Amino acid sequence: MTIALIIPDRKLDDLQQRLSAALPGVTIEVWPELNDPAAVTFAVVWKHPAGCLQQLPNLKALQSYGAGVDSILADPELPLVPLARVVDPALTESMLRYLAGIESYYRLRLDQFHRQQQQAQWKPKSPRQLRKLCVLGLGELGAAAAQFFQMQGYQVTGWARRPQQLSGVTCYAGVDGLAAALNDADLVICLLPLTSATEDLLNKQLFALMKAGVILVNVARGALLVEADLLAALDSGQVQAACLDVFRQEPLAATHPFWSHPSILVTPHISAVTRVDTVVAQIAENYRRSEAGLALLNQIDRQQGY
Ligand code: NAP
């Protein structure tokens, strides 16, 4: 019985050691150095090369090493086995800390003062009056963000695929609910998964539904955003500023216009990064479940893509 760790370009010693300690008697190997591919029944994957899972004829289950599964489902040769993802309070806490920092950054006008500093301009201004906030996606992360900002005194709307109930948050569902969810929001935070239904959703039609001068935060996936539409919306002032943690191509190319845009804050996909110490228990539990023929924790719906 072997677990394969298929997470290219990452040091995996710590994960390998912790999983070995959590699962005595189970062999943990790092792809592509697998002694016996036929012995692998469970694989932990993140941005794996498409097709490589075909080398594992006895695979029973897959575990994403992150909260998203879009890069895994993009593999046209993905085996038809159950796929689970990470759901971790430590990940949620990390996302909330990031979003709290970003909200303060804009409320305190640190973006403007940073630009003024570059011109040696001394121009005091009172904080931005941000009152309404919309969260697109009300799953593990989006629901936590919506409730966090509601507790901070924001009027919060949220948008999901199916009707949701969240205390203190006005929830809308489906394509028909999108305009109402966005209506009048000063800040829009995107926490949707990347699926065929959400790709390119953050486009000029959507920006036109938003309040003029909205601030956009995309911490979901880069392919939700039509980059040229954002640049045009920033030029016109429809979008006042954007904070982007995720990009169509990562790392962001050195020549990309986002780097030098005065109204864009770029962070290198760090808002919520999987922590080895906190995820090992759920990976080990899913391995045990898979071997016992039980349903996995946090299994995704392949049909819906999340
Ligand atoms: P989740 O629990 O699966 O929640 C997804 C939410 O999006 C659900 O509320 C779902 O609606 C909604 N949704 C899905 N498709 C929709 C559609 N077509 N229209 C409207 N709503 C739709 O996901 P999560 O754990 O909160 O994570 C969200 C995403 O954040 C991940 O997929 C990942 O891409 C991203 N992420 C980024 C980072 C980072 O470091 N930047 C870290 C972690 C995660 P229902 O409630 O109706 O199902």
Side-chain angles (χ1 to χ4, degrees):
M1 288 180 300
T2 299
I3 296 179
L5 306 181
I6 310 182
I7 309 177
D9 305 324
R10 243 201 250 168
K11 282 190 67 137
L12 296 172
D13 306 1
D14 194 16
L15 176 61
Q16 191 175 19
Q17 280 161 21
R18 286 176 190 265
L19 270 179
S20 295
L23 294 167
V26 179
T27 306
I28 317 288
E29 293 184 338
V30 176
W31 182 88
E33 266 93 58
L34 302 178
N35 279 320
D36 178 11
V40 174
T41 54
F42 189 89
V44 182
V45 285
W46 188 250
K47 296 191 177 165
H48 69 283
C52 78
L53 297 166
Q54 289 296 324
Q55 301 163 6
L56 311 175
N58 295 313
L59 196 64
K60 291 186 200 162
L62 284 167
Q63 167 76 52
S64 168
Y65 191 58
V69 290
D70 46 286
S71 72
I72 300 169
L73 294 178
D75 180 352
E77 295 180 72
L78 194 68
L80 278 173
V81 295
L83 168 61
R85 70 191 190 102
V86 164
V87 172
D88 184 1
L91 202 70
T92 307
E93 188 192 332
S94 167
M95 182 60 80
L96 293 185
R97 281 184 194 276
Y98 177 92
L99 293 174
I102 295 303
E103 186 270 343
S104 295
Y105 176 82
Y106 287 116
R107 187 166 36 79
L108 299 175
R109 298 187 190 275
L110 300 186
D111 55 331
Q112 292 180 354
F113 295 138
H114 180 63
R115 287 196 292 272
Q116 289 180 200
Q117 182 178 344
Q118 290 167 332
Q119 312 291 319
Q121 284 180 343
W122 184 276
K123 283 200 212 159
K125 275 187 191 157
S126 51
R128 283 190 179 101
Q129 299 294 311
L130 305 174
R131 293 191 180 88
K132 296 186 179 176
L133 183 147
C134 171
V135 182
L136 301 176
L138 293 173
E140 290 293 330
L141 300 175
Q147 295 202 296
F148 173 81
F149 285 112
Q150 189 266 331
M151 302 275 283
Q152 305 295 308
Y154 272 94
Q155 288 176 45
V156 181
T157 54
W159 185 64
R161 193 168 58 84
R162 299 160 294 187
Q164 303 289 340
Q165 290 214 318
L166 274 179
S167 148
V169 177
T170 308
C171 299
Y172 297 90
V175 178
D176 295 345
L178 187 52
L182 293 168
N183 181 36
D184 225 21
D186 302 301
L187 252 170
V188 174
I189 297 172
C190 181
L191 269 167
L192 290 162
L194 173 61
T195 68
S196 55
T198 63
E199 186 168 5
D200 295 337
L201 184 87
L202 303 175
N203 61 23
K204 59 181 170 206
Q205 286 84 7
L206 197 87
F207 299 145
L209 294 176
M210 296 180 188
K211 178 179 179 176
V214 67
I215 296 170
L216 176 71
V217 180
N218 185 17
V219 275
R221 284 290 181 265
L224 271 89
L225 175 69
V226 179
E227 296 184 342
D229 288 3
L230 175 64
L231 291 170
L234 287 165
D235 278 353
S236 73
Q238 177 61 19
V239 176
Q240 179 182 171
C243 165
L244 307 174
D245 185 49
V246 286
F247 304 89
R248 276 183 188 265
Q249 194 198 328
E250 295 181 2
L252 191 61
T255 52
H256 199 287
F258 285 174
W259 282 117
S260 54
H261 197 289
S263 302
I264 295 180
L265 175 64
V266 169
T267 57
H269 201 147
I270 45 72
S271 53
V273 177
T274 301
R275 271 178 47 181
V276 179
D277 56 335
T278 57
V279 292
V280 161
Q282 65 183 274
I283 296 174
E285 176 61 15
N286 267 345
Y287 169 77
R288 287 188 211 99
R289 284 172 174 252
S290 166
E291 291 300 315
L294 300 171
L296 304 183
L297 300 176
N298 307 314
Q299 189 170 325
I300 66 108
D301 176 344
R302 282 173 82 138
Q303 208 58 30
Q304 293 301 334
Y306 71 101

